[in-house]
Amino acid sequence: MKSSPISPHSGYHWRGQGVSASRFFEGWYLRLTLPDVAQTFAFMYSIDDPAGGTDHSGGAAQILGPDESYYCRSFADVNQFWAWPHQLGLGHWRSAKNGERSQYINAADFSQVVSEGYQVTSHHHQGKLLLPSGHTKAEWDYCITPVYGWGGDWGSARHKATAGWLSYLPVFEPGWQVLMAHGLASGWIYWQGKRYTFDRAPAYAEKNWGGAFPIKWFWLQCNAFADVPDLSVTAVGGVRDVLTWQEDVGLIGIHYQGEFYEFLSTTSSFSWTVDPWGYWHLSACSYRYRVEIVGRAVDEGAWVRVPTHEGLRWLCRDTTHGEMQLRLWQRAGKNEESIILTATSQLAGLEVGGGPWDEAWVVEKLT
């Protein structure tokens, strides 16, 4: 198994506390884009109340597949979940062929040992989900070569906490970290009777942890730009709990040609207009750069489950076939700027979640 730099927050945050009134979840999102067939596989793993003994205790594996097809499988036994405390590594088994306790095992042995389950590291991802009938719904096995962490090249020491240094303090709800802004994946996925093979396909990974998802949020992500293969974009906005109050926060992160361009609503002028569905418009400006992102959904998307204080709920709407338009400028003065990059993709991930979403969400923050 390859060693790798340690991204902030890549390890499992739960430290074995006993059952308490406080809810806890940790969730991981891995996206694989297949430009050759214009499709995406998004894998969503979660563990709720891992000490067991509550109504919400257990795990889940969700897949949002080609043409927004969806499947979810629960893993009730929290004792069959494992995760590394200091780097990315996790897995959950529903059953093993020899009754073995869940743990990381050699990739070559996985299919021989695990009847149903998954395991993930920074460089490898494999698993199998069954239908209630016992037939195979999905199976996958692929290797990953990370390119960008968050803040710089994967092999550098420049990995940053996505939410900044305050993310190390227990004041935000929930925590969020982009584990891999861009990577290249090679392998195969079997899905609903069809086998997809791929070589150096764009890959992405992030995670959340805490008591529940934000009250309301939006999210955009793309690292499959046909004319700019080195580009990765992640943008979010949400209502965040901070101790005893709430605040609107936004972030845009761009990795391109070894450079990292970051815009935070706490340090940059930042605005957004996001419709209940179909339209996202973000703009931000720092003293050195300016960015504008427009996202449009061309389909109705699909609903997926997210952790809440009441367990997994259908509160998140996604499309993996969104249109994203990006423009990035360098500023030389108050009224002088030059274009750095213009890029468009039809394979962006676009999302809204929580609520209420009765009308467009408009926020403008000036610095």
Side-chain angles (χ1 to χ4, degrees), residues 29 31 33 150 162 176 178 180-181 204-206 217-225 231-238 249-255 270-275 277-283 291-297 316-327 343 345 347-353 357 361:
Y29 175 93
R31 186 175 183 214
T33 309
W150 184 256
T162 304
W176 177 60
V178 175
M180 181 180 66
Y204 171 88
E206 66 175 45
W217 74 92
F218 65 83
W219 173 89
L220 305 88
Q221 188 276 324
C222 188
N223 59 330
F225 295 87
L231 173 63
S232 176
V233 180
T234 305
V236 299
V249 291
L251 175 151
I252 297 172
I254 301 168
H255 293 81
F270 206 114
S271 65
W272 67 73
T273 299
V274 179
D275 285 351
W277 183 251
Y279 180 74
W280 297 252
H281 182 272
L282 290 75
S283 60
V291 65
E292 182 179 29
I293 299 174
V294 177
R296 292 184 174 88
C316 185
R317 188 177 183 182
D318 280 88
T319 179
T320 59
H321 292 83
E323 176 186 293
M324 179 185 287
Q325 297 175 327
L326 168 75
R327 291 188 293 173
S345 176
L347 292 172
L350 306 176
E351 175 180 288
V352 294
W357 283 98
W361 187 11

Side-chain angles (χ1 to χ4, degrees), residues 31 51 112 129 141 214 263 287:
R31 186 175 183 214
Q112 302 301 315
L129 296 184
D141 190 346
F263 302 85
Y287 73 98

Side-chain angles (χ1 to χ4, degrees), residues 6 9 20 31 34 71 74 98 166 180-181 199 218 246 251 253 276 283 340 343:
I6 304 301
H9 300 299
S20 71
R31 186 175 183 214
L34 307 180
Y71 189 61
S74 63
N98 59 1
L166 287 172
M180 181 180 66
D199 183 52
F218 65 83
Q246 297 174 350
L251 175 151
S283 60
I340 296 174

